[in-house]
Amino acid sequence: MASGGLQLLGFVMAFLGWIGIIISTAMPQWKMASYAGDNIVTAQALYEGLWMSCAMQSTGQIQCKVYDSLLKLESSLQATRALMVASILLGLVGMFVAVTGMKCMKCMEDDQVKKMRMAVFGGVIFIISGLAALVATSWYGNRVARAFYDPFTPVNTRFEFGSALFIGWAASSLAILGGSFLCCSCPRRETSYPPTRGYPKNASSTGKDYV
């Protein structure tokens, strides 16, 4: 029962992490314009994401523009896109595989060993999915930080971490932790010992010696 609860907890955490990765990928707030230094605070808030750039007016109106051409994008941005999409697809596969191996499901009940392996395999896929998202968000965040501290970067073009990065870091950590719980939810095999054989008791001596 304890392993079943750990398995369910791991699946819920991995599923929530997968949902967070989808949200992070779709959000345009991967980096936001910084008003540090001598930059004058304007009436606009500028955001850039993986798919579009947005400008929010002081009135609350948001205008977004989708990137025109894929080939004009930086190679690092294209790689970040690919990693996040791969993470989402891997999470989808891991979810179906893990559901098949869940103890609360009726499928594959006749073979508990294969059912257990399916749950572990689903956990491994979730871990790989979380690692892909973690690499993508960390790589993107490193580029933002390096550009921010670069003295040759104009002050009015500096960006800071956006909320999508923080959501991506938290979501990838949840996916990795949930996948680890799925991998650790298998019960340990108990060592079975052969039954002890009883030794025949010595017959009671009759008190007579035979030659």
Side-chain angles (χ1 to χ4, degrees):
M1 294 296 292
S3 61
L6 184 64
Q7 188 182 71
L8 182 60
L9 175 63
F11 179 79
V12 171
M13 293 178 64
F15 178 74
L16 292 177
W18 179 67
I19 295 296
I21 291 173
I22 296 177
I23 295 174
S24 174
T25 305
M27 289 179 64
Q29 293 90 354
W30 276 66
K31 62 180 180 180
M32 56 184 296
S34 172
Y35 302 115
D38 299 330
N39 192 19
I40 300 175
V41 178
T42 62
Q44 286 185 343
L46 303 178
Y47 303 99
E48 289 188 10
L50 300 181
W51 314 98
M52 66 186 71
S53 59
C54 297
M56 185 176 66
Q57 306 291 336
S58 58
T59 57
Q61 183 180 3
I62 300 177
Q63 295 179 348
C64 295
K65 180 182 179 183
V66 180
Y67 298 137
D68 297 329
S69 175
L70 177 64
L71 299 178
K72 291 182 180 180
L73 297 177
E74 299 178 359
S75 58
S76 57
L77 182 59
Q78 296 181 16
T80 304
R81 277 184 173 185
L83 283 172
M84 295 301 291
V85 172
S87 175
I88 293 174
L89 294 178
L90 283 172
L92 181 63
V93 175
M95 181 176 61
F96 284 111
V97 174
V99 165
T100 306
M102 294 288 289
K103 293 183 178 180
C104 56
M105 301 299 292
K106 298 296 184 181
C107 54
M108 298 180 64
E109 280 187 337
D110 53 342
D111 195 339
Q112 292 296 323
V113 176
K114 288 185 178 180
K115 188 178 181 69
M116 180 178 63
R117 290 176 179 174
M118 291 294 287
V120 174
F121 187 51
V124 172
I125 297 177
F126 270 124
I127 292 175
I128 298 175
S129 171
L131 286 176
L134 184 61
V135 169
T137 50
S138 299
W139 187 13
Y140 192 95
N142 179 57
R143 289 176 49 246
V144 173
R146 289 175 59 186
F148 182 86
Y149 290 109
D150 188 356
F152 297 101
T153 302
V155 178
N156 57 350
T157 59
R158 291 182 179 178
F159 287 85
E160 294 181 350
F161 297 154
S163 55
L165 278 181
F166 297 103
I167 294 176
W169 284 326
S172 57
S173 301
L174 271 178
I176 294 173
L177 192 58
S180 302
F181 283 169
L182 282 172
C183 293
C184 298
S185 62
C186 299
R188 297 180 180 179
R189 293 183 179 180
E190 298 180 356
T191 306
S192 58
Y193 298 95
T196 56
R197 297 180 179 179
Y199 294 96
K201 297 182 179 180
N202 295 331
S204 59
S205 58
T206 57
K208 296 182 179 180
D209 297 327
Y210 296 92
V211 179

